[in-house]
Structure formats: structure tokens, C-alpha cells
Amino acid sequence: MSRVVIAPDSFKGTIGADAAAVALADGWRAVRGDDALLLRPMADGGEGTLDAFARAVPGSVRMPVRVTGPADTPLDAHWLLLPPTPEAPEGTGVVELAGTSGIETLGSPPRLRPLAAHTLGFGQAIAAALDHGVSRLVLGVGSSCSTDGGVGLLSALGARFLDSAGAPVPLGGRGLALIARVETDALVPLPPGGAAVLTDVTNPLLGAEGAAAVFGPQKGASPLQVAALEAGLRVLADRLGGEPDAAGAGAAGGAGYGLLAWGATLQTGADAVARLIRLGEAVAGASVVVTGEGSFDGQSARGKVPARVAAQARAAGVPVALVAGRIDPAADATGFAVTLSLTELAGSPDAAMGDAARWLRAAGEALARTLA
């Protein structure tokens, strides 16, 4: 009997990490029903972060919260309460931007709002966790749809961003250039154990590699809107101070900058999730590890989930397999014992994306036969 750890990321746009892990496990179990399967869905701070913690940490509780989404409409969301530990005696609150202010909340296909989308809902969920009395926060900031520099989330936490007449500026990137004064007297403090921000982005807030220039077009911003957002972020940095040049300040449309200004610390998302779900302990006793993501390409080796899981497996001397929706022929996959492309299994990208669970089950079966 083998011990198999299944630790994929989400296959973005098709299936979440938790469901992907279940599908791979179902396929493996159909071939080798006696093997011990340990599911450890992974994340890098984006969509699926809550699910990864909920699956891996016994006693986790999903806490419902209603927030204002990035389209200014009420949104039923939740945050995750992790049980008490010596380091966090009142528990840890895990809050995910993706589910409160993320692009997934704008519909499918999303109705992008490059100047108007904001992070208010994310901040409201953070405030709910603080009101509950958590000892520390873990904040996933992937899957952003806004470029507001964190103004929305900081507003929900008590900060005030005022124009020259003393009125609150509009939410979203459109209000940044109007900021004349920032009041932080009522900004709630960090919990005793602090706040860790999970991201795989190292971009600064401003400039050619900054939040507006790099990520604005992905959120629907035209060249003129990118320029306006950049100018607004510069005004925000001048008024709020902090560390706009810090690595990761540009994460989530500048939400990383806003959280740094609050006092939070930024961490590489996949590394932090791996530590918090104790991936190393799971892998140490494994016979085989399976990981995956939607698209494995040249960026995947730079802190993405498959690279993080593969490094953990190699350190333990355990073979690791990769399953991906597509595998770029130019990507370096030499560290994996086996690689499987769902596109090749299904015959086309459309077929693979149309029923990802089916083809992940097929991949699980194939891996069980290959790696048995």
C-alpha cells in the first residue's frame, strides 16, 4: 500500500484546488483502492486559499459575512476561523480577497470595472474577523479586479481618504487622484499576532513594473486609464506614505501597499500556505506526490504552487508528478517524474476546460497505473 499526497493548485477558470484534488484522488482510487490518499490542496493567496486551509486544518469553521462587492452590490461571502494554537490563542482568521473583492465576483465572463472596482468588501471581511477577536490574520490577495491601492480595504478598517472639501473620495482607482488628506486616527490596529499577506507578486506600487502598468490592462484598463491609475497611485503614496517601492506593494492593484501601510507583512503565498497546512509533514511520509495547475509555463518555477510542492518532495526524496491543463513545451519540467496534460488527454483545450473534473479523474487513473 502506498501513501499518496495530492496537492494541486486551482485550475483557474475551470476547477478549484479542493475539487481538483478530489477528482485526482477519485481517479487514483479507481485503480489502487487500497492506497492511503492524503489531500492537501494548495494555493498561492488567490482563489482556493480558504479551501486549502479548510481541507488541511481540522476544526476550521467558515464564518459567513455580507460585504459590498467590487461592483457595489451586496455579496454573501465568508472568512475562515482556524482553531486556537499557542501562537494564536484566540484563533487565526483567514480572509481571501478573491471571494470578497475578486474578479470571480464580477460574473462569467466578468464585467470589468477598471476605474470603479475596489477592495471595500475585502476590508469588511477583515473587520469581521477582527470583531470576532482573532489573534492573527492570514490574508490572501490574489485574483484582484481593482487598482485602488488598498483604499477600499483601509476605509473599511477605519481610515478616511478625503478630498480638498473634506468629503470622502469615490471608491476605486477613480478616486485616488482626488485624495487631499488621509486620516488614520480611527484605523483599527493589527491583531496581537499580526497579519501575514500571501502573494506571489513582487511588483512595486509605482512605475513600469507597478500595479497600474503591469496589471491594469488585465483588469480592463485602456492605456489612458492606466496612466490615470498610475497618477492616482502616486497621489496616494504621497498622502499615505509607507513603502510604495517595497517588493509586493503592487500586489492586488496596490492592496499590498495599503496592507503594508497598516503594518502587515508580505509573504510568498505558496510557501506560506505550505507551512501553514504542514505540507512538509505530509510529504515526508509519502510514496508519491501529485501536484498541478491550469497552465504550467515559464512563470511556474517562480514561486508557483507546482514548483513549491516539487521542491518539498525532492527534499524528502519522494517522486512528484505534474498534472496541468496545458504544459508549455518551453517550460522546464525536468524535476517531475511524470507530466500529464489534460489538453492532450481530452484531445483539445476546449474539451479539457469543458469538463476538468472528468479529465482530472482520468489523469489520476493514469498516474496510478504509471507510478504504482
Side-chain angles (χ1 to χ4, degrees), residues 42-54 80 94 96 138 140 198 273:
M42 279 283 291
D44 57 13
E47 179 188 9
T49 299
L50 288 188
D51 290 339
F53 283 110
L80 190 70
V94 184
E96 188 182 85
V138 174
L198 311 186
V273 171

Side-chain angles (χ1 to χ4, degrees), residues 128-190:
L130 292 173
D131 287 345
H132 187 81
V134 297
S135 297
R136 68 176 177 180
L137 290 167
V138 174
L139 308 174
V141 297
S143 303
S144 165
C145 66
S146 61
T147 309
D148 76 345
V151 164
L153 71 90
L154 291 175
S155 296
L157 295 173
R160 301 185 72 208
F161 297 85
L162 308 175
D163 63 19
S164 58
V169 301
L171 289 172
R174 61 188 172 182
L176 298 177
L178 300 176
I179 298 172
R181 169 168 104 255
V182 180
E183 296 181 352
T184 59
D185 292 348
L187 184 63
V188 297
L190 292 169

Side-chain angles (χ1 to χ4, degrees), residues 266-284:
L266 271 57
Q267 300 181 8
T268 302
D271 288 349
V273 171
R275 287 194 301 272
L276 289 164
I277 70 171
R278 299 182 177 178
L279 179 67
E281 294 179 21
V283 168

